[in-house]
């Protein structure tokens, strides 16, 4: 059993264990988990041990150490690392090693974290089950016949399987929160612009955000402290002071906090009774902690999924143009002219879901259709943002479900894209509006599977989410449940 | 059959490379001529995960250009992606500006080539910023299918200046391009070096044929990527004739055929249609989500307007009037850009002789700049120093040729004028010492004396050369005067 990040920091500070010993434990855990769960696309024990050794030496020499010193961290394989491949789980980028680190990776290294490997995902982060990647599916550590969710399924499974205490995922339409709910861990999608996207391979640039995954809100706060903050290499990065998120989780006094409940969402058709029960129970917990419960509505909620599935594929179709076989990555060997090289390289390199979204996006942006689809979606996005502004003028946080159901079986929806897209029913709103949102473990089904709840807050109010999440976790023990395995 | 009366309708799209130190969205150098793929980074290579960051200097220069073209600068502009597949285009899209360009609705006034007394107003529709693509080099040798790509140019900032179809002849186009280039260079917006690709021209051409009162419009042809004024003129002349013949042969009109894309073959001197596919391109423009819209406050535009200074035309007029130099000389100086006008102003003021300053700048300074492949703003001899040097020449303290030695010394070694004079061993020569020397030389060259006496003053030339050999500080002017006096006094 790997201890919490805070416990690992304490053990090293008090000389109970070294960073090398912790890294050895993480590597052993990855080696035993990998054949069962396939949470990683790449891990490098030697590299991790070398990093850990350097940290131990720094500590021995009395040099100052970063806030994540010796803590093993896994990084989703859509984030660039100069010393490990970055594949986005695509054949297109098999073996691609970027010549640079993403900003978040630079910050992890500066914080003396030990990066142990890259986690599996849906290809180019497109999917809700970590089944669309080129390097095999990831299995849910709670039940290996189930999906861990997606696209950050590898990142959440890596935590759930207790190979690392912390991991970085990315969330474009719910890709941190939905797998966090399926894997019984805590995952935060920060405000758009709060964490630099430099070095994050783009899926849908106006929606993508990197965020922390851990067992608890407090550990998410620790990781967010390291990765958040302005950076001039990302023009959409927000130049605003980063508060100490860990300190924000110290209080659990929720008196006077207004919690808005999306009552209609909670009871909508297709929402599993276990999910409804978890949300109802959470409302009770928040009320007991002193929060004021207020019913609110986000009137354009029914347009979230259609709006998302126009904007995200449109941006993706453009962002993925660069994978054409000309400069790096997969190039078809079966082409004798430029056009054939483009067509065949892309046909061979991309999987079905990526192709589907490129085609949807290309169509939505094409001459004569852009006004009907893309431009229309941009207008609706404005209405969705206005809904959030109106809601947050009444309440401090919004409470509701993360997903309509608990984790489903591997293969159950992979041939039914519409069913798969509906997994994002409750999560895409936060991405369209750019606001932060957190997924918290909130109970187990009768069958022993995790169920999550979601809290959302106004832009840049991650502290409020982490504080409310930590307060909830101080009153419940769902985040301490571990899969048997 | 006689040709029907025809009007040619031409609109030009001119791409000028902005004179920034770094590229539009990254810190890579824009310098021309580096070894292939040495001026690149993850951003301009479009590597996965890299993000663009806007270059403020490019915005500044684009506004300068726009104001000089009497454009409006809207308070908000934004970036869009223009998508197409091309090996030179690493991201698969070009970051450009679609519906909210940085400059709109301008005018460039040109001299009417058909009547020097008149002017023509050519309207500018818009000018927008965009990044340049790279360059492909194809090995055409038989059996080889080797293509190499140099991405050094990727991300170089371009301003695309689009005119209304107000131009009527190739000569008008040349007048427009000349004026445009002069304006851009003068303002320091662009070097406009066509051979380095920093000015490129596309032309949209069609004809309005008057068939007995009925106006027929031929299909528009866009001739792409012409890189010399000569090519523009030749291509337009060719295309006008071609379109007339094509219309006679086929009857195609703008309604039946729309717009097509042609290239210019400067070897065969013909325009030729490019692939059909490129004509029906759907660029799927949409706002670039990696870059925020750009707000341009009024105050910023006004402060740039204040810094624009005089136009090239105003500068030319002023230099002629203020320093009494010829129109041609003023032209040469102004055509080098505003920094050169400033340089000239300082030199002329310090030396008090505009003509001398002008001739030195045109001969010595420009030649040295060319040899050293340098701009005037990094020229080692400061304008004030050159001005002071020339003032010594004007006062007769230093002969012209020795001043040239001093200038060369300053270019190569730096330092002050006095240090250069000392290093070169230049001293004022005593008049009587010089007279003795000239007398000795005249005695040794009776033929020279004879020739001068018979009216050939040029015969003194070789004598001056010899005098300088004996004493490098000998002033040719003084030697000549002494020699003439001595010969006259001789019995
Ligand atoms: Zn660059």
């Amino acid at each position: 059993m790997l201890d919490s990040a805070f416990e690992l920091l304490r053990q090293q500070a008090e000389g109970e264990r070294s960073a090398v010993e912790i890294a050895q434990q993480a590597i052993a855990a990855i080696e035993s988990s990998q054949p069962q769960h396939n949470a990683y696309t790449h891990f490098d024990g030697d590299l991790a041990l070398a990093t850990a050794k350097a940290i131990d030496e720094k500590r021995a020499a009395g040099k100052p150490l970063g806030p994540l010193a010796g803590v093993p961290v896994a990084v989703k394989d859509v984030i660039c690392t100069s010393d490990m491949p970055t594949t986005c789980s695509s054949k297109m980028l098999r073996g691609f090693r970027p010549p640079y680190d993403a900003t978040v990776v630079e910050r992890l290294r500066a914080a003396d974290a030990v990066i142990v490997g890259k986690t599996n995902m849906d290809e180019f982060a497109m999917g809700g089950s970590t089944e669309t990647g080129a390097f095999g599916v990831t299995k849910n550590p709670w039940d290996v016949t189930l999906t861990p969710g997606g696209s950050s399924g590898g990142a959440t499974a890596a935590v759930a399987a207790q190979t690392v205490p912390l991991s970085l995922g990315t969330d474009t339409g719910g890709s941190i929160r939905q797998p966090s709910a399926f894997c019984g861990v805590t995952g935060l999608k920060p405000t758009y612009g709060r964490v630099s996207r430099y070095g994050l391979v783009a899926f849908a640039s106006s929606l993508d955000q990197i965020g922390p995954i851990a067992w608890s809100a407090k550990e998410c706060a620790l990781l967010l402290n390291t990765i958040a903050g302005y950076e001039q290499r990302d023009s959409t990065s927000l130049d605003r002071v980063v508060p100490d998120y860990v300190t924000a989780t110290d209080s659990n006094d929720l008196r006077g906090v207004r919690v808005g409940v999306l009552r209609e969402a909670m009871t909508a058709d297709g929402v599993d009774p276990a999910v409804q029960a978890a949300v109802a129970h959470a409302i009770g917990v928040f009320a007991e902690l002193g929060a004021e419960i207020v019913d609110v509505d986000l009137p354009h909620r029914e347009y979230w999924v259609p709006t998302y599935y126009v904007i995200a594929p449109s941006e993706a179709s453009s962002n993925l143009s660069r994978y054409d076989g000309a400069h790096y990555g997969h190039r078809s060997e079966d082409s004798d002219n430029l056009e054939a090289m483009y067509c065949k390289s892309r046909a061979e390199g991309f999987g079905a879901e990526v192709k589907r979204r490129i085609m949807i996006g290309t169509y939505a942006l094409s001459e004569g259709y852009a006004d009907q689809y893309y431009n229309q979606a941009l207008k609706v996005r404005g209405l969705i943002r206005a809904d959030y502004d109106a809601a947050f003028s009444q309440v401090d946080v919004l409470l509701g479900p993360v997903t309509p159901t608990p984790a489903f079986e591997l293969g159950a929806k992979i041939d039914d894209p519409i069913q798969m897209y509906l997994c994002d029913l409750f999560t895409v709103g936060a991405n369209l509006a750019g606001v932060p949102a957190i997924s918290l473990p909130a109970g187990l089904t009768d069958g022993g599977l995790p169920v999550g709840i979601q809290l959302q807050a106004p832009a840049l109010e991650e502290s409020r989410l982490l504080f409310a999440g930590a307060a909830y976790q101080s009153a419940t023990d769902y985040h301490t449940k571990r899969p048997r395995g | 059959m006689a040709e029907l009366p025809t009007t040619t309708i031409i609109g030009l799209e001119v791409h000028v490379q902005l004179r920034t130190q770094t590229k539009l969205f990254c810190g890579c150098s824009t310098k021309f001529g580096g070894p292939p793929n040495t001026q690149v980074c993850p951003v301009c290579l479009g590597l996965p995960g890299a993000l663009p960051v806007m270059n403020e200097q490019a915005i500044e220069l684009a506004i300068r250009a726009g104001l000089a073209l009497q454009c409006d600068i809207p308070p908000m502009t934004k970036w869009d992606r223009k998508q197409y597949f091309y090996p030179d285009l690493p991201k698969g899209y070009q970051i450009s500006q679609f519906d909210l360009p940085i400059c709109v609705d301008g005018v460039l006034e040109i001299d009417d080539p058909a009547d020097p007394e008149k002017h023509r107003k050519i309207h500018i529709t818009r000018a927008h910023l965009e990044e340049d693509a790279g360059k492909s080099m194809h090995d055409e040798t038989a059996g080889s299918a080797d293509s190499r790509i140099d991405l050094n140019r990727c991300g170089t900032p371009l301003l695309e200046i689009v005119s209304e179809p107000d131009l009527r002849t190739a000569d008008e186009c040349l007048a427009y391009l000349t004026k445009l280039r002069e304006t851009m260079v003068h303002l320091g917006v662009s070097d406009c070096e066509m051979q380095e690709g920093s000015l490129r021209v596309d032309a949209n051409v069609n004809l309005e044929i008057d068939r007995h009162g009925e106006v027929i419009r031929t299909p528009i042809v866009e001739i792409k990527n012409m890189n010399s004024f000569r090519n523009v003129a030749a291509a337009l002349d060719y295309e006008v004739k071609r379109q007339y013949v094509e219309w006679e042969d086929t009857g195609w009109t703008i309604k039946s055929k729309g717009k097509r894309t042609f290239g210019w073959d400067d070897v065969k001197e013909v325009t030729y249609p490019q692939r059909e596919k490129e004509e029906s391109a759907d660029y799927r423009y949409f706002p670039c989500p990696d870059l925020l819209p750009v707000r341009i406050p009024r105050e910023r535009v006004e402060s740039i307007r204040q810094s624009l200074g005089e136009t090239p035309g105003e500068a030319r007029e002023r230099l002629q009037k203020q320093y009494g130099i010829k129109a041609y000389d003023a032209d040469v100086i102004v055509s080098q850009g505003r920094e050169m006008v400033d340089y000239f102003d300082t030199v002329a003021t310090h030396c008090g002789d505009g003509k001398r300053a002008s001739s030195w700048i045109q001969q010595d300074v420009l030649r040295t700049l060319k040899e050293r492949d340098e701009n005037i703003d990094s020229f080692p001899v400061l304008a004030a120093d050159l001005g002071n040097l020339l003032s010594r020449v004007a006062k007769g303290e230093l002969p012209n040729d020795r001043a040239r030695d001093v200038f060369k010394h300053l270019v190569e070694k730096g330092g002050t004028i006095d240090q250069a004079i000392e290093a070169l061993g230049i001293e004022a020569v005593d008049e009587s010492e010089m007279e003795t020397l000239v007398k000795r030389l005249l005695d040794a060259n009776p033929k020279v004396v004879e020739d001068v006496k018979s009216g050939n003053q040029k015969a003194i030339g070789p004598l001056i050369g010899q005098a300088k050999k004996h004493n490098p500080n000998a002033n040719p002017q003084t030697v000549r005067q002494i020699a003439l006096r001595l010969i006259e006094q001789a019995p």
Side-chain angles (χ1 to χ4, degrees):
Chain A
M1 289 287 130
L2 203 65
D3 294 301
S4 82
F6 289 103
E7 177 62 13
L8 295 176
L9 290 169
R10 188 199 61 77
Q11 288 165 0
Q12 293 176 83
E14 295 178 7
E16 288 172 23
R17 282 213 285 176
S18 66
V20 167
E21 285 165 336
I22 293 166
Q24 280 165 339
Q25 190 195 5
I27 294 158
I30 294 171
E31 280 170 351
S32 83
S33 143
Q34 184 64 7
Q36 304 172 62
H37 307 124
N38 195 34
Y40 290 82
T41 53
H42 178 90
F43 62 94
D44 189 335
D46 293 342
L47 196 61
L49 285 174
T51 314
K53 188 158 170 276
I55 291 160
D56 283 337
E57 282 164 4
K58 247 168 126 176
R59 188 184 298 278
K63 288 186 188 153
L65 285 163
L68 292 177
V71 178
V73 180
V75 174
K76 187 176 178 180
D77 204 13
V78 67
I79 296 170
C80 287
T81 41
S82 56
D83 53 1
M84 297 179 198
T86 299
T87 70
C88 299
S89 288
S90 179
K91 191 178 168 191
M92 199 51 118
L93 284 174
R94 182 197 293 274
F96 175 69
R97 181 168 295 198
Y100 64 105
D101 280 331
T103 302
V104 291
V105 170
E106 284 178 356
R107 291 184 177 185
L108 283 180
R109 296 195 203 279
D112 290 315
V114 177
I115 299 172
V116 294
K118 307 295 287 288
T119 58
N120 202 0
M121 53 187 281
D122 285 295
E123 184 179 11
F124 283 103
M126 297 178 195
S129 61
T130 315
E131 292 175 287
T132 69
F135 308 120
V137 307
T138 294
K139 293 165 188 166
N140 193 320
W142 292 80
D143 178 342
V144 293
T145 67
L146 305 180
T147 139
S151 66
S152 307
T156 55
V159 173
Q162 297 166 85
T163 61
V164 281
L166 306 175
S167 75
L168 284 184
T170 65
D171 191 314
T172 304
S175 285
I176 286 176
R177 289 159 288 156
Q178 181 251 26
S180 291
F182 283 9
C183 289
V185 298
T186 302
L188 173 76
K189 180 205 94 74
T191 306
Y192 183 75
R194 177 80 289 193
V195 177
S196 171
R197 290 185 296 115
Y198 191 83
L200 163 62
V201 179
F203 158 16
S205 313
S206 77
L207 302 158
D208 294 341
Q209 192 58 202
I210 299 172
I213 295 161
W215 286 109
S216 67
K218 198 176 175 80
E219 284 173 284
C220 284
L222 177 68
L223 186 48
L224 186 62
N225 270 359
T226 293
I227 61 170
Y230 173 71
E231 192 214 19
Q232 60 111 56
R233 286 184 298 182
D234 174 359
S235 306
T236 60
S237 164
L238 297 170
D239 190 2
R240 304 283 284 276
V241 174
V242 180
D244 181 351
Y245 295 113
V246 175
T247 309
T249 62
D250 286 347
S251 160
N252 53 23
D253 183 0
L254 281 174
R255 274 174 302 179
V257 173
R258 295 165 303 170
V259 175
V261 174
L262 301 167
R263 186 102 30 207
E264 176 246 1
M266 204 177 99
T267 55
D269 275 356
V271 178
D272 191 281
V275 173
Q276 294 191 19
V279 176
H281 174 66
I283 292 170
V285 173
F286 278 105
E288 264 171 46
L289 289 167
E292 182 190 336
I293 308 297
V294 185
D295 279 7
V296 291
D297 190 22
L298 299 167
H300 294 93
R301 206 175 52 78
E302 62 178 301
Y303 301 109
W304 286 4
V305 170
T307 302
Y308 176 82
Y309 278 98
V310 172
I311 291 176
S314 294
E315 293 185 11
S317 71
S318 169
N319 284 328
L320 270 58
S321 303
R322 70 193 69 199
Y323 310 106
D324 59 4
H327 298 280
Y328 51 84
H330 177 74
R331 178 187 294 180
S332 172
E333 292 180 1
D334 178 28
S335 58
D336 50 13
N337 64 59
L338 184 63
E339 195 152 313
M341 183 185 90
Y342 289 152
C343 293
K344 288 183 175 166
S345 297
R346 288 169 71 81
E348 293 166 13
F350 289 136
E353 183 59 28
V354 169
K355 285 179 193 163
R356 181 179 297 124
R357 298 206 195 183
I358 288 175
M359 293 204 291
I360 293 171
T362 303
Y363 183 78
L365 285 176
S366 61
E367 218 174 323
Y369 295 97
D371 278 337
Q372 240 171 302
Y373 297 103
Y374 181 75
N375 294 332
Q376 190 70 12
L378 283 190
K379 283 183 203 152
V380 179
R381 187 175 185 177
L383 298 175
I384 293 167
R385 285 187 170 133
D387 283 353
Y388 271 95
D389 288 343
F392 286 127
S393 68
Q394 300 170 51
V395 297
D396 300 307
V397 293
L398 288 169
L399 169 64
V402 187
T403 55
T405 67
F408 49 87
E409 281 176 23
L410 286 163
K413 299 187 182 185
I414 194 68
D415 297 321
D416 191 345
I418 301 293
Q419 279 307 306
M420 193 70 93
Y421 298 168
L422 287 174
C423 294
D424 303 335
L425 197 59
F426 302 123
T427 48
V428 293
N431 301 81
L432 290 166
V435 302
I438 194 168
S439 171
L440 303 161
L444 296 176
T445 65
D446 294 343
L449 292 179
V451 177
I453 55 161
Q454 175 176 227
L455 296 177
Q456 303 178 74
L460 290 164
E461 292 296 342
E462 285 80 4
S463 307
R464 197 183 292 172
L465 286 182
L466 290 162
F467 148 63
Y472 175 75
Q473 290 179 342
S474 73
T476 59
D477 64 354
Y478 306 119
H479 64 292
T480 66
K481 305 281 187 213
R482 299 289 182 268
R484 294 180 304 269
Chain B
M1 193 181 85
E3 281 201 7
L4 295 167
T6 299
T7 310
T8 306
I9 311 293
I10 309 168
L12 294 182
E13 295 170 11
V14 182
H15 293 80
V16 299
Q17 176 181 333
L18 296 177
R19 213 174 119 181
T20 55
Q21 302 301 309
T22 56
K23 293 183 180 178
L24 191 48
F25 299 115
C26 67
C28 292
S29 166
T30 51
K31 205 161 166 51
F32 176 79
N37 299 308
T38 54
Q39 290 161 204
V40 293
C41 72
V43 175
C44 56
L45 291 178
L47 288 188
L51 293 171
V53 176
M54 189 184 80
N55 181 341
E56 279 290 341
Q57 200 196 356
I59 301 275
E60 187 85 10
L61 293 176
I63 296 173
R64 281 182 82 79
L67 290 175
L69 299 172
Q70 302 176 45
C71 286
D72 290 335
I73 312 296
M76 174 82 96
T77 181
K78 74 173 181 25
W79 299 101
D80 300 277
R81 291 184 183 176
K82 178 183 184 182
Q83 343 257 341
Y84 58 99
F85 285 103
Y86 211 69
D88 298 352
L89 192 72
K91 296 191 291 293
Y93 57 82
Q94 178 188 29
I95 303 178
S96 178
Q97 300 193 297
F98 179 51
D99 55 344
L100 294 174
I102 188 162
C103 312
V104 296
D105 291 337
V107 172
L108 185 65
E109 205 171 42
I110 60 170
D111 297 334
D112 187 343
D115 182 354
E117 300 295 301
K118 286 193 182 146
H119 298 286
R120 297 256 293 118
K121 275 189 175 165
I122 308 303
H123 293 89
I124 311 279
T125 316
R126 58 185 279 162
H128 65 258
L129 282 159
E130 61 186 30
E131 55 177 345
D132 204 353
K135 220 170 73 182
S136 297
M137 289 152 289
H138 305 291
D139 187 346
E140 306 283 357
T141 44
S144 159
D146 196 12
S147 290
R148 284 152 190 262
I149 300 172
D150 176 7
L151 298 176
N152 277 355
R153 276 200 77 87
C154 274
T156 298
L158 301 178
L159 187 69
E160 180 173 339
I161 301 162
V162 183
S163 86
E164 293 283 314
D166 286 352
L167 296 152
R168 294 291 168 266
T169 63
D171 281 346
E172 282 187 6
C173 291
L174 291 188
Y176 172 84
L177 291 170
T178 306
K179 186 75 181 280
L180 189 64
R181 175 162 69 179
E182 179 188 78
T183 309
M184 294 302 121
V185 171
H186 181 76
L187 292 172
V189 167
S190 173
D191 294 331
C192 292
E193 295 283 1
M194 294 193 85
Q195 62 279 20
E196 295 182 3
S198 72
L199 191 153
R200 293 175 334 237
V201 183
D202 301 341
N204 285 284
V205 200
N206 75 335
L207 308 178
E208 285 179 7
I209 300 165
D210 181 353
R211 185 166 59 186
H212 320 300
E214 175 204 11
V215 175
I216 298 155
R217 293 184 176 83
T218 59
I220 294 175
V221 162
E222 180 173 9
I223 313 170
K224 285 287 217 192
N225 243 331
M226 290 168 286
N227 57 7
S228 80
F229 285 9
R230 203 192 67 84
N231 283 346
V232 173
L236 286 170
D237 285 338
Y238 178 87
E239 179 60 20
V240 166
K241 293 189 192 100
R242 193 201 64 76
Q243 283 194 19
Y244 194 88
V245 172
E246 182 183 79
W247 172 71
E248 283 182 324
D249 289 352
T250 64
W252 287 346
T253 65
I254 191 163
K255 278 210 183 89
S256 69
K257 207 69 182 170
K259 182 174 164 175
R260 286 178 297 161
T261 305
F262 275 48
W264 168 247
D265 185 326
D266 59 0
V267 178
K268 293 185 197 146
E269 306 223 298
V270 296
T271 60
Y272 61 92
Q274 291 185 335
R275 290 187 305 153
E276 287 292 319
K277 269 196 181 135
E278 290 175 21
E279 295 166 32
S280 56
D282 174 2
Y283 293 119
R284 291 178 288 117
Y285 280 101
F286 80 107
C288 180
D290 290 328
L291 290 158
L292 302 175
V294 187
R295 241 184 282 278
I296 299 178
R298 285 302 81 192
E299 307 80 64
R300 182 171 182 190
V301 175
E302 287 318 309
S303 94
I304 295 172
R305 200 191 299 279
Q306 297 307 314
S307 75
L308 279 185
E310 58 193 356
T311 64
E314 287 162 359
R316 258 198 307 267
E317 235 166 78
R318 179 176 63 80
L319 296 195
Q320 290 176 55
K321 232 192 246 158
Q322 188 173 341
Y323 302 106
I325 61 175
K326 291 204 191 86
Y328 172 84
D329 298 324
D331 223 34
V332 172
I333 292 166
V334 171
S335 72
Q336 298 294 317
R338 230 253 301 267
E339 282 95 342
M340 187 59 85
V341 174
D342 292 345
Y343 190 90
F344 169 76
D345 271 326
T346 311
V347 174
T349 310
H350 277 76
C351 96
D353 181 347
K355 284 181 189 157
R356 191 182 299 275
S358 150
S359 103
W360 266 72
I361 283 176
Q362 288 184 61
Q363 287 162 33
D364 302 75
V365 176
L366 287 183
R367 194 190 51 231
T368 314
L369 284 176
K370 204 164 183 193
E371 282 165 8
R372 294 167 58 100
D373 188 22
E374 230 170 10
N375 285 324
I376 191 66
D377 37 358
S378 58
F379 193 60
V381 183
L382 297 179
D385 287 345
L386 180 57
N388 289 333
L389 178 66
L390 297 189
S391 105
R392 296 198 193 187
V393 178
K395 286 184 208 145
E397 294 170 16
L398 198 63
N400 208 52
D401 57 334
R402 290 307 264 161
R404 203 154 266 145
D405 295 338
V406 172
F407 175 75
K408 223 174 142 213
H409 187 93
L410 291 176
V411 168
E412 284 159 10
K413 309 253 162 65
T416 65
I417 298 173
D418 288 333
Q419 284 165 348
I421 285 176
E422 202 189 322
L424 292 165
I426 298 171
E427 296 164 8
V429 180
D430 185 67
E431 187 92 1
S432 67
E433 192 184 307
M434 194 47 58
E435 196 164 322
T436 318
L437 173 65
V438 175
K439 200 161 194 307
R440 200 150 48 85
L441 290 172
L442 285 175
D443 290 347
N445 293 282
K447 175 93 169 52
V448 171
V449 179
E450 208 174 294
D451 287 351
V452 172
K453 274 191 167 165
S454 59
N456 180 11
Q457 293 209 347
K458 276 188 187 153
I460 288 179
L463 219 62
I464 295 170
Q466 287 183 41
K468 277 193 74 74
K469 235 179 238 167
H470 285 276
N471 184 344
N473 294 315
N475 184 339
Q477 212 47 42
T478 316
V479 173
R480 170 184 300 275
Q481 279 162 11
I482 295 172
L484 286 175
R485 179 161 49 81
L486 291 178
I487 291 169
E488 204 167 295
Q489 287 165 359

